[in-house]
Amino acid sequence: MKNNNITKKLYNIPTLQHSNIMKPTIFHQLCRGGKIALACFVLAAPVASAQVVVTPTPVVTPVVTSTVTPIVTSIVTPVITSTLTPVITTAVNANVNAVVTPVVTSTINANVHPFVNPVINVSPMVNPVIVPPVVIPDVDVNPDVNVDVDVNITDVDMMEGKWFATIKGDKLEIEFRGKTNDTDDYHQWSNTETFSLSDFPNLPRTEKGEFSLKREAGTLVFTGKFEDDMGFGTYKLTPNKELGDYIKNSGVTDIHENDPFRWFSVNLTKSYVEMLAQNGYKDIASHNLISMCAMKVDAAYIQSFKAIGYNDVAPHDLVAMKSMKITADYVKNFGQFGYKDVALHDVVAFKSMDISADYVKGFAEVGYNNIPIHNIIAFKSEKITPEYVKGLMAAGFKDIAPHDVIAFKSMDITAEYVKGFKDIGYTDIAAHDIIAFKSEKITPEYVKGFTSIGMKDVAAHDLIAFKSLEITPDYIKGFIDLGYNDIQAHAIIPLKSMNITPDYVNGFKKLGFKDIPLHDLPALKSTGVTPEYVAEMQQKGFKSDNLRKYMELKNSFN
């Protein structure tokens, strides 16, 4: 069907050439907050985006179906990263400092995406379909403690170098410095250790001399002198070849050239290597051997865990537990918490966060039972107390899920915040809606604003869509003042998403178009029909009292 025939048939006017009519485009560029996009609004996070997709079909009667789908996804991901870093300061009494720092970061990302998709077909009709918001907090608290780290320092000769010492009471603190291979640089590696002063009865105090310390792993000879409580000089370690050969032949792996110095530092013995082999740790890496020896992990300690069902405990787990003074009795007591077969990384997290039996029992006493162990860890990291949960239960959330409790606390949702909504009629509000409310900064006062203009009992998901699209009571009142009474929430959402304002409607009223149905407005805006366009077409002779005719006219040239 030709365009000229359409104009003749609809308006009964002489045919005009296409060149005489300005050919408009379907989409109008919208500008908001300095951001320009095609029919898209970009809001501050959480993001609310309204996308208008128009499929033009040159038919007589257009139908606009606006599907508004606000989807709220609140992702709560507390991540506990427990890092155990044993620092071995090689000395007669080697110090292993295992630091467990579980860091819990709870992130709530509530994204509200209302999509408005008008599709032009037949008869102008807007059918908003509102899909309730879905909040899926995904809580994964699974601290992985791993101190199985082989710190192999290369290009440094630890077997000989310089020493600097300070006498502190009955202790002798010595800093060792090894030089870089093929250079005279002694600043690439250093290690400070504390010895018992009684191990060195003949320190040279008046003139340069030698003193030594002999162990099964070798002999460490110092050359230098002391002045008052300070001393300096050079050192050289002569390893015990017999012990070295035994270690290599016993199944120990990953041996490095500087390991004899480390063996000496932790006072490693043949009997200790034999003990580990007898308890199942034969093919052990040298760095684990050193760590276990430094932490004095003995047969009794290993056997105590086997006695309660923990066989084949990894060396790094033994080191981690020993460094935190975790005993088999401590692990066995998890039964009083109601937990069985607890993973060792959870045991370490429990101990590092000082979770006690009283803390766990406190939740049971308020009627909150069977909390998964990883949730208890997250509870403690978020400083969630039984009193906090009791308050939520009193506010109506009797069966609130642990992940929702974590989300509530991470977003600073209090019983008072919930009560504020219950006081204005939202008595059965779901936990995920409260989370979305808080993420969108929805307050009871915001809701009361809509009640004051006659919009009562607005559904929670509509309020979320309202706030994400920055719909205010004043915006809706502008349409009420134009005569649109009893406006439904789902009718407002497509108007705001398409940036339809009372001024837009007023423009048509000035041209004589009154009582335009609300559901026609998205159809007009999506096809690019504006008061200015209608006025221009009327000046060109296209006159009608039916705005649908102008939508058809607009479509016929696109």
Side-chain angles (χ1 to χ4, degrees):
M1 181 170 60
K2 299 294 184 180
N3 291 333
N4 289 348
N5 291 335
I6 292 177
T7 57
K8 284 182 180 181
K9 181 177 179 181
L10 296 178
Y11 300 96
N12 193 24
I13 59 173
T15 301
L16 297 178
Q17 297 297 320
H18 293 180
S19 59
N20 295 330
I21 301 176
M22 179 181 65
K23 185 174 182 178
T25 60
I26 289 179
F27 294 104
H28 284 195
Q29 287 190 332
L30 306 176
C31 179
R32 184 177 182 182
K35 303 292 183 181
I36 297 178
L38 289 178
C40 176
F41 300 103
V42 180
L43 307 178
V47 179
S49 59
Q51 181 181 357
V52 180
V53 179
V54 180
T55 305
T57 304
V59 291
V60 175
T61 316
V63 168
V64 177
T65 302
S66 297
T67 303
V68 182
T69 311
I71 300 174
V72 179
T73 304
S74 295
I75 302 174
V76 185
T77 311
V79 179
I80 296 186
T81 305
S82 298
T83 306
L84 268 152
T85 310
V87 180
I88 301 178
T89 55
T90 48
V92 174
N93 298 315
N95 299 318
V96 176
N97 301 319
V99 181
V100 180
T101 311
V103 179
V104 177
T105 305
S106 299
T107 306
I108 313 288
N109 298 318
N111 298 317
V112 183
H113 300 292
F115 294 102
V116 181
N117 301 311
V119 179
I120 307 292
N121 250 336
V122 191
S123 127
M125 179 182 70
V126 177
N127 180 25
V129 178
I130 309 296
V131 177
V134 180
V135 179
I136 307 173
D138 180 14
V139 181
D140 181 14
V141 181
N142 187 20
D144 185 11
V145 181
N146 188 352
V147 295
D148 186 10
V149 180
D150 182 6
V151 182
N152 179 34
I153 301 173
T154 59
D155 298 328
V156 171
D157 183 7
M158 297 182 187
M159 308 305 289
E160 59 180 305
K162 295 183 178 181
W163 62 269
F164 301 86
T166 304
I167 298 173
K168 295 181 178 181
D170 61 349
K171 302 295 181 184
L172 180 62
E173 186 178 278
I174 301 178
E175 177 190 0
F176 294 89
R177 292 184 185 178
K179 69 175 182 176
T180 305
N181 293 335
D182 302 325
T183 71
D184 292 327
D185 185 359
Y186 285 91
H187 295 86
Q188 294 300 312
W189 170 82
S190 68
N191 190 40
T192 300
E193 303 174 18
T194 302
F195 300 85
S196 175
L197 187 60
S198 60
D199 289 335
F200 303 96
N202 300 311
L203 294 178
R205 294 184 176 273
T206 57
E207 58 184 20
K208 186 177 180 180
E210 285 189 356
F211 58 101
S212 64
L213 180 63
K214 187 173 183 179
R215 290 177 169 173
E216 189 173 332
T219 302
L220 186 60
V221 177
F222 298 85
T223 302
K225 72 172 184 175
F226 280 80
E227 293 180 2
D228 297 326
D229 291 335
M230 307 288 287
F232 63 93
T234 60
Y235 75 89
K236 183 174 182 179
L237 174 67
T238 302
N240 180 353
K241 186 177 184 302
E242 183 181 346
L243 177 65
D245 290 341
Y246 174 79
I247 291 173
K248 292 175 184 178
N249 295 328
S250 65
V252 175
T253 61
D254 299 329
I255 299 174
H256 302 298
E257 59 182 5
N258 285 316
D259 281 355
F261 182 86
R262 299 185 180 102
W263 297 338
F264 180 90
S265 297
V266 299
N267 198 13
L268 182 65
T269 64
K270 178 181 177 181
S271 62
Y272 187 80
V273 179
E274 290 175 341
M275 179 276 294
L276 290 182
Q278 292 168 2
N279 283 276
Y281 298 93
K282 182 177 181 180
D283 299 326
I284 187 174
S286 179
H287 63 272
N288 282 327
L289 174 64
I290 295 165
S291 297
M292 293 173 79
C293 183
M295 289 304 302
K296 296 181 172 57
V297 176
D298 57 19
Y301 189 74
I302 296 170
Q303 289 296 330
S304 68
F305 285 98
K306 290 187 176 185
I308 60 172
Y310 288 87
N311 299 305
D312 303 321
V313 179
H316 63 267
D317 284 330
L318 286 169
V319 172
M321 290 190 294
K322 194 65 163 36
S323 70
M324 299 189 69
K325 300 180 180 179
I326 294 173
T327 64
D329 286 339
Y330 177 82
V331 178
K332 192 162 59 174
N333 285 338
F334 272 74
Q336 67 181 311
F337 303 144
Y339 302 118
K340 296 180 180 179
D341 302 323
V342 180
L344 290 178
H345 60 253
D346 285 330
V347 172
V348 173
F350 250 64
K351 190 67 162 61
S352 69
M353 301 187 73
D354 195 26
I355 298 174
S356 65
D358 289 339
Y359 179 76
V360 179
K361 289 178 180 177
F363 292 101
E365 290 171 357
V366 300
Y368 206 66
N369 300 298
N370 303 319
I371 306 172
I373 191 167
H374 63 271
N375 286 141
I376 279 288
I377 296 168
F379 275 20
K380 191 65 188 289
S381 70
E382 286 288 322
K383 299 180 180 178
I384 295 171
T385 63
E387 289 72 24
Y388 177 78
V389 176
K390 185 177 180 180
L392 296 181
M393 295 171 74
F397 297 104
K398 294 183 179 180
D399 298 317
I400 186 168
H403 60 253
D404 284 332
V405 173
I406 297 165
F408 272 38
K409 192 64 165 65
S410 68
M411 298 187 71
D412 197 26
I413 296 173
T414 63
E416 289 73 21
Y417 179 77
V418 177
K419 186 177 182 297
F421 292 101
K422 290 185 178 292
D423 289 345
I424 60 174
Y426 290 83
T427 56
D428 296 322
I429 190 166
H432 62 259
D433 284 330
I434 283 289
I435 295 168
F437 275 20
K438 191 62 188 264
S439 71
E440 286 289 323
K441 299 181 180 178
I442 295 173
T443 63
E445 289 69 28
Y446 177 75
V447 181
K448 288 178 184 178
F450 295 104
T451 304
S452 69
I453 62 171
M455 294 191 72
K456 298 179 180 179
D457 303 322
V458 180
H461 60 260
D462 285 330
L463 287 170
I464 297 164
F466 277 18
K467 195 65 163 62
S468 69
L469 286 165
E470 297 184 0
I471 294 174
T472 64
D474 287 340
Y475 175 77
I476 297 175
K477 190 175 183 302
F479 290 95
I480 294 174
D481 292 342
L482 290 175
Y484 294 98
N485 297 313
D486 300 323
I487 301 175
Q488 299 299 309
H490 64 259
I492 284 293
I493 294 169
L495 297 181
K496 189 65 163 67
S497 68
M498 299 183 71
N499 200 27
I500 295 171
T501 64
D503 288 340
Y504 177 76
V505 181
N506 256 329
F508 291 109
K509 282 183 175 274
K510 291 177 182 178
L511 295 174
F513 298 95
K514 299 179 180 180
D515 302 323
I516 307 171
L518 275 180
H519 60 253
D520 280 352
L521 294 173
L524 289 166
K525 192 66 183 291
S526 68
T527 53
V529 175
T530 64
E532 293 77 15
Y533 173 78
V534 173
E536 181 183 354
M537 293 302 102
Q538 287 177 342
Q539 290 175 4
K540 294 180 182 295
F542 294 91
K543 296 183 178 181
S544 174
D545 59 359
N546 188 344
L547 284 173
R548 297 181 186 181
K549 301 293 185 181
Y550 292 98
M551 285 191 284
E552 295 165 11
L553 178 64
K554 188 80 169 175
N555 272 328
S556 66
F557 290 102
N558 292 297

